[in-house]
Amino acid sequence: MTHTMGDRISVRGLLVDAHIGVTEEERARPQTLRLDVDIKADLSAASASDDLRDTIDYASTVSLISQTVRSSRCKLLEHLAAEVASVVSCKELVSGVGVAVSKQPPPVSERVDAIVVRIERPAT
């Protein structure tokens, strides 16, 4: 019997500065983005072995996500979320990825805690 129904590794509150936005003015200087990433994977082998080789190395995954965000020059959070999902879904053992991205603070005139773009993708 496998134990994969809800197996996942979650990265919460990753803060990365990036050039993003629709206008040149908005992209002119870095903005802080907050990312939450859920990585679906079968973690049963690592649960049994206690060996890093049997799971997803979250330190290297966080570095990969950060590098992807910093190097992106996209306009929309939706596009950036898809880019992050794409690179994470290519990692071994990954069966699906959920990515939530928000700007800190959100660029709106009303008082709001966050406006979050969230996507989910299967592994590629």
Side-chain angles (χ1 to χ4, degrees), residues 67-81:
Q67 180 182 31
T68 301
V69 172
R70 279 190 200 99
S71 64
S72 177
R73 292 294 180 255
C74 58
K75 296 176 182 175
L76 300 177
L77 293 177
E78 293 85 344
H79 189 81
L80 179 63

Side-chain angles (χ1 to χ4, degrees), residues 9-11 39 52 55-63 65 91:
I9 295 173
S10 297
V11 177
I39 305 164
L52 180 61
T55 192
I56 297 165
D57 180 343
Y58 53 80
S60 69
T61 302
V62 167
S63 293
I65 294 166
K91 292 184 71 75

Side-chain angles (χ1 to χ4, degrees), residues 9-98:
I9 295 173
S10 297
V11 177
R12 294 283 176 257
L14 175 61
L15 300 176
V16 183
D17 291 338
H19 294 270
I20 190 168
V22 174
T23 67
E24 284 296 324
E25 180 183 354
E26 195 177 9
R27 285 194 309 275
R29 58 183 195 282
Q31 299 178 63
T32 301
L33 304 179
R34 178 193 162 110
L35 292 96
D36 294 325
V37 181
D38 290 313
I39 305 164
K40 297 175 188 174
D42 180 354
L43 303 178
S44 57
S47 298
S49 71
D50 199 25
D51 190 329
L52 180 61
R53 291 174 295 193
D54 292 331
T55 192
I56 297 165
D57 180 343
Y58 53 80
S60 69
T61 302
V62 167
S63 293
L64 176 65
I65 294 166
S66 297
Q67 180 182 31
T68 301
V69 172
R70 279 190 200 99
S71 64
S72 177
R73 292 294 180 255
C74 58
K75 296 176 182 175
L76 300 177
L77 293 177
E78 293 85 344
H79 189 81
L80 179 63
E83 283 186 1
V84 171
S86 179
V87 298
V88 173
S89 70
C90 291
K91 292 184 71 75
E92 191 174 344
L93 300 178
V94 173
S95 61
V97 182

